[in-house]
Amino acid sequence: MKRIIALLLLLSGCGTPLADAAEPTYTCHDRPIPLDVMSTARPATQLGPDGLAALKGHEVRRVEDLDKWRIVEETGERVALMKEFDEPEERGSTTVTHDFLVIERFGPPAADGRPSWHLRSRGGCSLRQDLGGLGVADLALDPAKPATGNSLHLLVTERDCASGQSAAGRIRVVGLEETERDVRLVIGVERAPGDFHNCMGNPATPYTVELSRPLGDRVPLDAGLHPPREIVTP
């Protein structure tokens, strides 16, 4: 059955089934993150001289729980650490699953003649699949249109700056996988035409995904996130 669904999806241009796609890459704040970093990377308690010096850099707040952080990168120029929250955290309208800290050498030289360590960035993020030239979007179920027949009705909110334009005509299904328990979707948005756009927030754009059979009791998931997150009403 899954092979039949895959063939129908490819012929209809509705996207690539996730199980048949190449291993995706994920990003946090537009930086590539190995998907297994939380399970295989060294804990920050094993930082070497560069990492320990970076933690004492300008504007770097003291990190109390080093054992919970993992080393994403440690060189003489950049140190990047990541921590997974025990539970996802709500920050404004965004849910984040990880804390990400980047410290780099830049600015005036230190005593050894090299630039000093300075905080580059720190903030919460969710691991999002890199969609190449497509922008990411937040997905929600359309409360005005419950799933009917084989149709799953969504609200797609573009994250990129688009001067408040609707994303109608620019939404693309990158991946769709249906199982007995869930429906996994990866959806991206083509960039709005033009060279400059204001960042005023974008409206939620209604979009319908056609499934191979009714949704029923299956759970719709945003598989563009890791781990996949249930798509719910806004």
Side-chain angles (χ1 to χ4, degrees):
M1 176 61 73
K2 290 184 68 175
R3 290 187 177 180
I4 295 175
I5 294 173
L7 179 60
L8 291 174
L9 287 168
L10 291 174
L11 291 175
S12 64
C14 289
T16 302
L18 305 183
D20 297 334
E23 185 68 24
T25 58
Y26 289 81
T27 63
C28 172
H29 298 311
D30 296 326
R31 292 178 180 268
I33 302 294
L35 196 54
D36 61 352
V37 67
M38 300 311 300
S39 59
T40 63
R42 292 181 296 131
T45 51
Q46 297 181 14
L47 282 168
D50 285 318
L52 294 175
L55 289 178
K56 299 177 182 178
H58 298 275
E59 299 183 337
V60 180
R61 301 195 309 273
R62 181 178 176 84
V63 179
E64 301 288 353
D65 51 351
L66 277 180
D67 59 311
K68 294 184 178 181
W69 293 77
R70 292 295 179 266
I71 302 171
V72 178
E73 182 180 0
E74 182 184 15
T75 70
E77 306 300 326
R78 181 183 299 107
V79 173
L81 307 177
M82 174 170 279
K83 178 181 74 171
E84 185 171 5
F85 296 127
D86 294 332
E87 296 289 341
E89 295 187 1
E90 301 294 333
R91 299 189 178 179
S93 60
T94 302
T95 301
V96 296
T97 56
H98 294 75
D99 201 359
F100 194 43
L101 169 64
V102 181
I103 311 166
E104 294 181 348
R105 282 189 182 271
F106 62 91
D112 62 0
R114 300 180 65 188
S116 302
W117 290 104
H118 291 255
L119 175 69
R120 173 60 72 183
S121 64
R122 179 172 180 176
C125 73
S126 291
L127 293 181
R128 283 189 171 271
Q129 187 172 331
D130 184 353
L131 302 180
L134 295 178
V136 300
D138 294 319
L139 308 181
L141 298 179
D142 190 340
K145 294 182 179 179
T148 55
N150 292 6
S151 298
L152 177 62
H153 304 288
L154 302 175
L155 295 176
V156 179
T157 303
E158 183 178 11
R159 283 200 161 202
D160 286 342
C161 301
S163 298
Q165 299 179 57
S166 165
R170 299 186 287 114
I171 298 172
R172 301 290 178 263
V173 177
V174 179
L176 169 59
E177 181 179 22
E178 300 187 45
T179 73
E180 294 301 317
R181 295 180 300 175
D182 53 47
V183 173
R184 299 184 172 221
L185 284 162
V186 179
I187 288 181
V189 181
E190 288 187 356
R191 313 287 180 177
D195 297 327
F196 177 79
H197 298 285
N198 293 316
C199 299
M200 59 177 62
N202 303 313
T205 302
Y207 186 77
T208 300
V209 176
E210 296 298 331
L211 307 178
S212 64
R213 59 188 175 88
L215 178 65
D217 294 331
R218 296 182 295 169
V219 178
L221 298 175
D222 183 352
L225 294 166
H226 181 82
R229 188 176 301 160
E230 182 178 357
I231 303 172
V232 298
T233 53

